[in-house]
Amino acid sequence: MVMSPVDLRTKNGCVGEGEQQLANQASQSLVGSCNLLKDYQSGYTPNPDILCNRQIKFDTFCKYVQHKMDADAIATGHYARTTFGDFLENDDPVAGVHLLKPADLFKDQTFFLSQVSQMPLQKTMFPLGNVTKSQVKRIASESGMEYIVKKKESTGICFIGSRNFKKFISEYLVDKPGYFRDIDNGLIVGNHAGMHHWTVGQRCRIGGQLKPYFVARKEPKSSDIFVASGTNHPSLFTQFFLTARPHWIHSPPQPLLQEGIFECEFRFQHTKPLVKCMLLVITDNQILITLTRPLRAITPGQYAVFYKDKECLGSARIILLGPSLQSLGHGGQGPVQSAFLSWVDRPPEQGLTEVAAAAVLRCHSVLPRRRHLG
């Protein structure tokens, strides 16, 4: 059985009654259980690929093949490795399994597996974990499978396939028009059809402007999207943010349990370089992430994925951004301390306590690290 992109309206991508049944269950699981549509309506930008792996490929699909087909394990073409070995030759259920980066770091797909649970991961083989993409193509060519060698790289969201995302999401959400507003002065510079079509950092093709505009912030209540002029505008950069409770693939890091602080590396886009960060426990359900340098377009709804050396430790959903560089004084928008405290003074469900804020300043000297982006 092969999992492939499915269009439930045209039945593309599946053959066989059993596979169509699985596809229907999978789609309902992703759209329903993950609150995917609710996230888009609320101004978040979820990561459907991470959610698909968590809810479908490594949950619904695994249960299906185990219970309906009596399969002992599954094999996947993800470029990743585990401590159990490519073919589970080092299986040790007592010790548990760790998710590791593959040999081909350029094709590393552990980012998309960062929400997978321990049990399905223990039953998964990664045959491509210790080979590179070029080696795979060579093996395919030598085996007479030239069609695989010539096949284009798959891109886009897995369960949407080649369809246009804006058209796809509009089939499920009603457009709610709003304004594009310049984040520097609040003036209206354009109109949009709905927030769910846009994500932080995305270029907005608004005519008649000296510089291109990019999405800096979305306001669900008013349907306004605040846009910044220029790709390096300080409103697009932040150095710390809040996440929901992390999912740890094997177990929580001991320093985090014992001391409430843990240093590791992080990324929120799978193609971007890893950045050093520090995790600080705020409550049982929230973690504060501080970075060694500001990053552009960190996006609520996306996942912060954590690494230590060769291991992918897990991930956490980004729920709230800290002040941007603009708010912290870069660009002449007001006193740094005032901007920081305005973030701290948000309602408890939206912001940090003063104790947490002080910890950020004390441990990481966030404010003095501001730098000009040119």
Side-chain angles (χ1 to χ4, degrees):
M1 176 178 288
V2 178
M3 289 291 288
S4 57
V6 176
D7 186 335
L8 296 179
R9 298 174 188 274
T10 62
K11 303 291 192 291
N12 287 339
C14 280
V15 292
E17 183 178 349
E19 292 188 22
Q20 185 59 49
Q21 180 184 1
L22 174 62
N24 290 338
Q25 294 173 353
S27 179
Q28 292 171 3
S29 174
L30 182 62
V31 176
S33 300
C34 298
N35 295 317
L36 195 65
L37 300 181
K38 184 179 179 181
D39 275 355
Y40 281 113
Q41 287 177 317
S42 301
Y44 289 101
T45 303
N47 190 312
D49 290 311
I50 288 180
L51 298 175
C52 179
N53 282 325
R54 185 184 74 187
Q55 298 291 117
I56 298 177
K57 293 178 183 176
F58 292 86
D59 186 72
T60 302
F61 177 69
C62 285
K63 292 175 181 176
Y64 184 92
V65 297
Q66 286 178 336
H67 300 147
K68 300 289 186 179
M69 305 177 70
D70 293 325
D72 295 319
I74 65 171
T76 175
H78 289 93
Y79 283 85
R81 296 181 299 132
T82 73
T83 49
F84 279 17
D86 296 350
F87 300 98
L88 306 182
E89 63 271 20
N90 301 319
D91 181 12
D92 187 348
V94 176
V97 66
H98 296 260
L99 181 63
L100 308 176
K101 297 176 185 176
D104 191 338
L105 294 179
F106 181 75
K107 295 294 294 182
D108 183 0
Q109 291 177 301
T110 54
F111 178 90
F112 299 111
L113 304 175
S114 62
Q115 282 278 307
V116 173
S117 298
Q118 180 72 191
M119 290 311 297
L121 197 61
Q122 290 187 19
K123 299 294 183 180
T124 302
M125 297 183 288
F126 294 94
L128 304 185
N130 282 300
V131 295
T132 63
K133 182 74 171 183
S134 59
Q135 288 175 312
V136 172
K137 288 187 174 183
R138 177 177 56 79
I139 294 170
S141 180
E142 292 173 351
S143 302
M145 295 185 285
E146 286 293 333
Y147 67 95
I148 291 181
V149 178
K150 296 178 181 178
K151 185 180 178 182
K152 291 183 178 180
E153 294 280 338
S154 59
T155 57
I157 298 172
C158 61
F159 66 94
I160 293 178
S162 59
R163 288 172 293 172
N164 178 274
F165 176 75
K166 285 190 175 183
K167 291 181 179 179
F168 170 81
I169 200 68
S170 291
E171 293 177 6
Y172 298 92
L173 293 178
V174 176
D175 288 347
K176 186 179 179 182
Y179 295 120
F180 285 121
R181 291 184 180 273
D182 189 308
I183 198 165
D184 288 322
N185 52 37
L187 297 179
I188 296 172
V189 293
N191 302 277
H192 65 83
M195 287 193 309
H196 53 276
H197 294 302
W198 300 92
T199 187
V200 173
Q202 183 179 355
R203 180 172 177 173
C204 311
R205 299 194 177 277
I206 302 172
Q209 307 298 327
L210 295 177
K211 290 183 178 181
Y213 274 111
F214 297 85
V215 175
R217 189 176 77 244
K218 298 191 287 185
E219 295 290 346
K221 289 185 179 179
S222 64
S223 290
D224 286 340
I225 295 178
F226 285 86
V227 293
S229 179
T231 189
N232 284 332
H233 192 283
S235 66
L236 296 171
F237 291 79
T238 190
Q239 195 164 346
F240 51 100
F241 55 90
L242 202 64
T243 75
R245 187 187 186 114
H247 166 74
W248 301 112
I249 295 171
H250 183 272
S251 56
Q254 285 302 307
L256 198 64
L257 291 176
Q258 297 171 0
E259 303 170 14
I261 294 178
F262 177 63
E263 291 187 70
C264 61
E265 292 182 304
F266 138 94
R267 63 164 56 108
F268 73 101
Q269 294 172 315
H270 87 282
T271 58
K272 298 298 183 181
L274 290 169
V275 174
K276 291 183 178 181
C277 69
M278 184 167 287
L279 281 59
L280 179 68
V281 176
I282 302 302
T283 69
D284 289 340
N285 297 314
Q286 293 182 338
I287 299 289
L288 177 69
I289 314 297
T290 66
L291 310 176
T292 55
R293 60 182 176 86
L295 289 184
R296 183 185 183 278
I298 296 177
T299 307
Q302 292 285 295
Y303 282 85
V305 181
F306 308 115
Y307 293 83
K308 191 70 172 180
D309 300 324
K310 296 181 180 180
E311 183 177 1
C312 176
L313 301 172
S315 61
R317 186 169 180 260
I318 300 169
I319 58 175
L320 180 69
L321 301 184
S324 67
L325 290 189
Q326 182 187 49
S327 297
L328 292 175
H330 181 92
Q333 297 302 313
V336 170
Q337 191 68 15
S338 174
F340 187 77
L341 290 177
S342 69
W343 189 64
V344 174
D345 290 338
R346 287 170 177 256
E349 67 274 11
Q350 296 180 9
L352 298 175
T353 63
E354 290 186 9
V355 173
V360 177
L361 297 176
R362 182 182 70 252
C363 296
H364 311 292
S365 304
V366 170
L367 301 184
R369 270 206 271 264
R370 295 196 318 279
R371 63 184 66 181
H372 292 276
L373 301 172

